């Protein structure tokens, strides 16, 4: 299975970037017919491969990394991936401290995790330990699906060094929502800072968003404008020179060049285009100006690898299904993410 990197036409029909191209004989057609019937999908048969640049959709060696500070959201990610049939290894602080990560994994995904960067690195205070979470005769459900003889101490600086080595060796680290504080404020990436909006309040709201890079593989299958589900959590910002790392932004307002002011007429921008709709599609948003044009998804180079930051939780409790595909696109295209635009 390959993905088209640009849009293309077959006859009068146009197919967007990200369309799947599946090659094979009658056996493949029979399987696709079955899949189409089961899932309600249509497949078009053509005598030759479309003349468009392609790359393979190959599944990575995927790890879901949880710490012992906050495990609820990690369970939601596990449930989502289990329902989708993804193969992954569930790893903890012990695995990160063990190192040799790139030899074992291509992608490490860290679910949303409550805590500040210090807590994310150092975990439960060792003065309270050792605390074992293992299967015992008295508690046979403990230690499943993961356990440790001591869940205190976090990954520490040694674990951070191992994550840095993973990125230097070409690995991909994906951080959902507040998990992004680990690479940003822990120093694994440059040129991204946490943005603190004093009046910003999005307590579980469906908000409008716009792709800055609609040809990026993370955008495959989406229109240029979409909506995403955001709860209260970390928000990030980059300098104007680094905005090429922004894949998706909050809101549909076009970012103004540095020093340019909003038009005064209240209806159109400086290019005569209609002003964007309000960010809030459903729910509540306070401090809209703080959220507007801020990065919702960042694709950040780090060593030979990448860090993909989500400033929202796209896998929230198996509820926001329309956001799942953004994560699936990262996984399916993990080794074909383009460099940041200048």
């Amino acid at each position: 299975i390959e993905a088209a990197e640009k849009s293309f036409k077959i006859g009068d029909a146009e197919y967007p970037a990200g369309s799947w191209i599946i090659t094979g004989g009658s056996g493949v057609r029979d399987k696709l017919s079955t899949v189409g019937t089961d899932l309600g999908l249509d497949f078009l048969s053509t005598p030759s491969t479309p003349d468009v640049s392609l790359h393979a959709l190959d599944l990575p060696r995927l790890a879901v990394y949880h710490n012992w500070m906050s495990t609820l959201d990690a369970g939601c990610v596990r449930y989502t991936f289990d329902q989708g049939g993804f193969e992954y290894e569930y790893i903890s602080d012990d695995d990160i401290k063990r190192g040799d990560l790139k030899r074992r994994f291509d992608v490490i995904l860290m679910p949303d995790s409550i805590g500040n960067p210090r807590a994310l690195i150092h975990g439960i205070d060792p003065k309270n330990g050792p605390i074992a979470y293992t299967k015992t005769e008295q508690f046979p459900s403990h230690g499943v699906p993961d356990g440790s003889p001591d869940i205190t101490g976090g990954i520490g600086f040694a674990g951070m060094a191992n994550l840095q080595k993973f990125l230097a060796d070409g690995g991909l680290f994906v951080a959902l929502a507040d998990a992004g504080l680990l690479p940003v404020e822990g120093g694994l990436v440059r040129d991204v800072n946490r943005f603190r909006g004093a009046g910003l309040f999005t307590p579980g709201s469906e908000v409008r968003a716009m792709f800055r890079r609609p040809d990026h593989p993370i955008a495959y299958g989406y229109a240029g404008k979409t909506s995403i589900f955001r709860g209260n959590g970390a928000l990030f910002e980059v300098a104007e020179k680094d905005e090429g790392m922004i894949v998706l932004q909050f809101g549909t307002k076009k970012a103004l060049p540095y020093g340019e002011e909003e038009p005064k007429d209240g209806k159109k921008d400086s290019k005569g285009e209609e002003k964007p709709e309000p960010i809030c599609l459903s729910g509540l948003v306070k401090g809209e100006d703080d959220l507007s044009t801020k990065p919702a998804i960042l694709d950040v180079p780090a060593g030979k690898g990448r860090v993909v930051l989500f400033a929202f939780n796209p896998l929230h409790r198996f509820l926001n299904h329309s956001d799942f595909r953004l994560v699936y696109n990262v996984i399916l295209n993990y080794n074909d993410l383009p460099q940041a635009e200048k």
Side-chain angles (χ1 to χ4, degrees), residues 10 21 23 45-51:
I10 297 179
I21 311 297
T23 55
S45 178
T46 63
S48 60
T49 303
D51 184 17

Side-chain angles (χ1 to χ4, degrees), residues 289-310:
D289 289 343
D290 283 337
L291 188 61
S292 181
T293 74
K294 292 294 188 303
I297 301 176
L298 285 158
D299 178 6
V300 187
K304 294 181 181 178
R306 312 286 272 275
V307 173
V308 173
L309 298 168
F310 285 80

Side-chain angles (χ1 to χ4, degrees), residues 30-58:
D30 292 342
K31 290 180 180 179
L32 292 178
S33 177
T34 301
V35 169
T37 300
D38 291 344
L39 300 180
L41 301 175
D42 293 324
F43 294 93
L44 172 69
S45 178
T46 63
S48 60
T49 303
D51 184 17
V52 63
S53 56
L54 306 169
H55 66 252
L57 297 175
D58 43 350

Side-chain angles (χ1 to χ4, degrees), residues 25-269:
S26 58
V28 171
R29 285 197 294 272
D30 292 342
K31 290 180 180 179
L32 292 178
S33 177
T34 301
V35 169
T37 300
D38 291 344
L39 300 180
L41 301 175
D42 293 324
F43 294 93
L44 172 69
S45 178
T46 63
S48 60
T49 303
D51 184 17
V52 63
S53 56
L54 306 169
H55 66 252
L57 297 175
D58 43 350
L59 291 174
R61 299 170 299 164
L62 174 64
V64 174
Y65 161 51
H66 75 91
N67 58 34
W68 295 106
M69 296 283 297
S70 174
T71 58
L72 185 150
D73 286 292
C76 296
V77 170
R78 283 176 39 228
Y79 183 81
T80 303
F81 284 177
D82 289 346
Q83 295 301 304
F86 281 89
E87 292 186 4
Y88 62 92
E89 187 170 339
Y90 194 49
I91 66 173
S92 67
D93 296 335
D94 292 343
D95 296 278
I96 300 295
K97 288 187 287 189
R98 191 173 301 126
D100 202 16
L101 296 171
K102 186 61 178 71
R103 185 185 65 81
R104 295 186 284 152
F105 309 116
D106 300 305
V107 178
I108 297 176
L109 182 143
M110 186 175 180
D112 188 12
S113 186
I114 298 172
N116 56 47
R118 181 175 60 187
L120 294 176
I121 294 172
H122 297 299
I124 300 170
D125 194 332
K127 73 180 181 182
N128 299 315
I131 301 174
Y133 185 70
T134 55
K135 183 177 181 179
T136 65
E137 185 175 348
Q138 185 179 9
F139 299 106
S141 63
H142 288 191
V144 178
D146 197 10
S148 173
D150 184 10
I151 64 173
T152 70
I155 59 173
F157 291 124
M160 290 296 288
N162 288 337
L163 287 174
Q164 185 180 40
K165 181 69 164 55
F166 172 73
L167 293 168
D169 291 341
L172 172 60
F173 188 84
V174 183
L176 308 185
D178 280 355
L181 295 173
L182 183 73
V184 171
E185 298 199 331
L188 294 177
V189 296
R190 299 177 182 271
D191 303 319
V192 181
N193 296 300
R194 185 177 185 180
F195 175 82
R196 297 182 183 273
L200 182 60
F201 188 57
T202 53
S205 309
E206 190 73 10
V207 298
R208 291 183 171 87
M210 179 174 70
F211 282 100
R212 292 273 193 98
R213 300 179 63 184
D215 59 343
H216 193 287
I218 296 177
Y220 285 172
Y222 285 84
K225 296 179 182 179
T226 184
S227 68
I228 52 181
F229 180 83
R230 176 181 158 83
N232 287 317
L235 195 61
F236 307 108
E237 63 179 348
V238 296
E240 185 178 350
K241 67 180 180 62
D242 297 313
E243 289 187 354
M245 297 188 296
I246 302 175
V247 178
L248 180 72
Q249 70 162 46
F250 290 107
T252 59
K253 174 184 173 182
K254 292 186 178 179
L256 294 173
Y258 180 77
E260 185 173 327
E261 296 183 357
E262 279 288 314
K264 306 295 185 182
D265 62 12
K267 294 182 179 179
K268 305 211 174 177
D269 64 17

